[in-house]
Amino acid sequence: MSAGEQRAGVDLTNLDQPLSPDAGATKRDLVDYLDAVAERMLPGLAGRPLTVLRILRGRDPFMQKNVPKYTPDWVRTVSIWAESSQRHVRYPVCDDRRTLLWLANQRAVEYHPALGLADDIYRPTHLVLDLDPPPGGDFAAVVATAHLVRQGLADAGLTGAVKTSGAKGLHVFVPVDDSAPVDDVAAATRALAARAEALDPATATTAFIVGDRAGKVFVDSTRAGGATVVAAYSPRLRPGTPVSFPLAWSDLDGIAPTDFTVHTAIDALAGRDPWAETMPAPQPLPHELIEHGRTIPVARVAAMHEGKRRARARRKGT
């Protein structure tokens, strides 16, 4: 039996086992990191239904929404009806350090909170643009696209905060007030993505179909209406166990996503909380931005129709 201990009333077990063959980190490294960053990370988790990515010994990683039956009664949960599966899902809600440590002991490596709070999961508190590089793409192109998004925000009178995704991309978060319903937030997201693309169509694209992206950075506008996004400071189950790390806009050009891991992030923070420091106050969405977005088809729906059209064309050609 490898080393164990207790923190905040949580029994921690098998701490010396590696998370995965290429993680470069043990379960103790995960627990120590999450414990050290808890005060900064919890505000982004509190009150939100949480999906976690777990990796158990001898099993492939899996995303978990429903809490297991053995979940302690002091872990807050919320039951939400899922239209897709036609059942209630009992999500954990991570409001405190004790719950975070319990999840870490369950080998929950990644933390993906909903953009909406538990009392209205479909009402996002933030507008989010996810910038995804093409396979083998240069991170510098992702940074350039982030600056396009920032310019598009500024042109609309908005500001946002940026963080690494913990993978190869960036996330831009724009806190929004409660004056706009979810469909308006989604429309504004589409409009901002289109405006970023229009500023430099050689670098950025809103093409949902991967084959149409032509090696450009994808500006994903689909994170709305019950969607989740990996939390700031969350580890990612990737080689080296990187973390999603908040940055000042002025620092983007000098970093690489691999700079921030469970081993290096605490020192890089230097006692600060950049996500709290750089996040603007909630903002109203401009009417003209919403109206622009309403003229843009929903990406997934447009891609579905285009896929069907291409399939028909192929059948006719055979």
Side-chain angles (χ1 to χ4, degrees):
M1 177 71 70
S2 59
E5 60 185 71
Q6 189 179 84
R7 299 188 205 177
V10 176
D11 290 323
L12 304 172
T13 57
N14 302 315
L15 291 172
D16 296 331
Q17 292 177 349
L19 292 176
S20 71
D22 61 358
T26 63
K27 185 176 170 182
R28 180 182 293 279
D29 294 324
L30 173 69
V31 169
D32 285 347
Y33 168 76
L34 288 170
D35 200 7
V37 81
E39 188 174 330
R40 300 174 179 89
M41 186 173 170
L42 284 170
L45 302 178
R48 298 175 188 273
L50 179 65
T51 301
V52 295
L53 185 143
R54 296 176 65 194
I55 181 165
L56 304 183
R57 286 173 294 167
R59 291 181 56 182
D60 290 334
F62 61 99
M63 298 294 286
Q64 185 171 71
K65 297 180 179 180
N66 260 317
V67 295
K69 292 180 179 179
Y70 56 80
T71 301
D73 57 12
W74 48 260
V75 172
R76 181 185 170 198
T77 63
V78 59
S79 183
I80 296 176
W81 177 255
E83 284 293 337
S84 57
S85 57
Q86 291 292 294
R87 65 188 179 114
H88 279 95
V89 176
R90 187 173 167 230
Y91 290 88
V93 181
C94 187
D95 291 333
D96 53 38
R97 173 178 172 245
R98 188 184 188 190
T99 301
L100 185 61
L101 290 173
W102 181 81
L103 288 165
N105 193 57
Q106 300 300 306
R107 296 174 69 102
V109 179
E110 299 188 7
Y111 296 77
H112 298 253
L115 286 175
L117 298 171
D119 59 357
D120 189 357
I121 192 173
Y122 296 105
R123 174 63 185 84
T125 58
H126 295 74
L127 178 159
V128 175
L129 290 166
D130 181 4
L131 311 183
D132 188 21
D138 187 349
F139 186 66
V142 185
V143 171
T145 304
H147 288 306
L148 297 177
V149 170
R150 189 186 189 196
Q151 182 61 55
L153 288 171
D155 292 344
L158 298 170
T159 57
V162 65
K163 66 182 180 71
T164 67
S165 67
K168 297 180 179 179
L170 291 168
H171 293 151
V172 179
F173 271 58
V174 182
V176 295
D177 67 14
D178 59 3
S179 62
V182 60
D183 288 346
D184 287 356
V185 177
T189 310
R190 295 195 298 273
L192 287 166
R195 292 179 183 195
E197 178 184 35
L199 287 169
D200 187 357
T203 299
T205 180
T206 57
F208 192 80
I209 299 173
V210 175
D212 292 346
R213 295 178 190 170
K216 302 172 188 178
V217 175
F218 176 45
V219 185
D220 185 356
S221 63
T222 63
R223 301 298 184 99
T228 66
V229 180
V230 70
Y233 305 111
S234 172
R236 304 300 302 269
L237 188 61
R238 295 176 178 271
T241 318
V243 305
S244 180
F245 198 86
L247 294 160
W249 286 99
S250 58
D251 291 338
L252 275 181
D253 296 286
I255 63 96
T258 52
D259 291 345
F260 311 105
T261 72
V262 293
H263 300 295
T264 64
I266 299 301
D267 285 344
L269 288 170
R272 298 171 50 243
D273 184 356
W275 199 229
E277 292 169 8
T278 60
M279 187 64 68
Q283 303 151 89
L285 292 171
H287 179 71
E288 59 87 17
L289 187 71
I290 296 168
E291 289 302 311
H292 177 196
R294 286 175 177 160
T295 69
I296 302 171
V298 176
R300 284 192 176 91
V301 176
M304 179 185 67
H305 289 307
E306 177 61 14
K308 291 179 179 178
R309 186 195 67 76
R310 293 182 187 184
R312 288 194 299 270
R314 285 194 297 271
R315 287 195 295 270
K316 289 179 180 178
T318 57

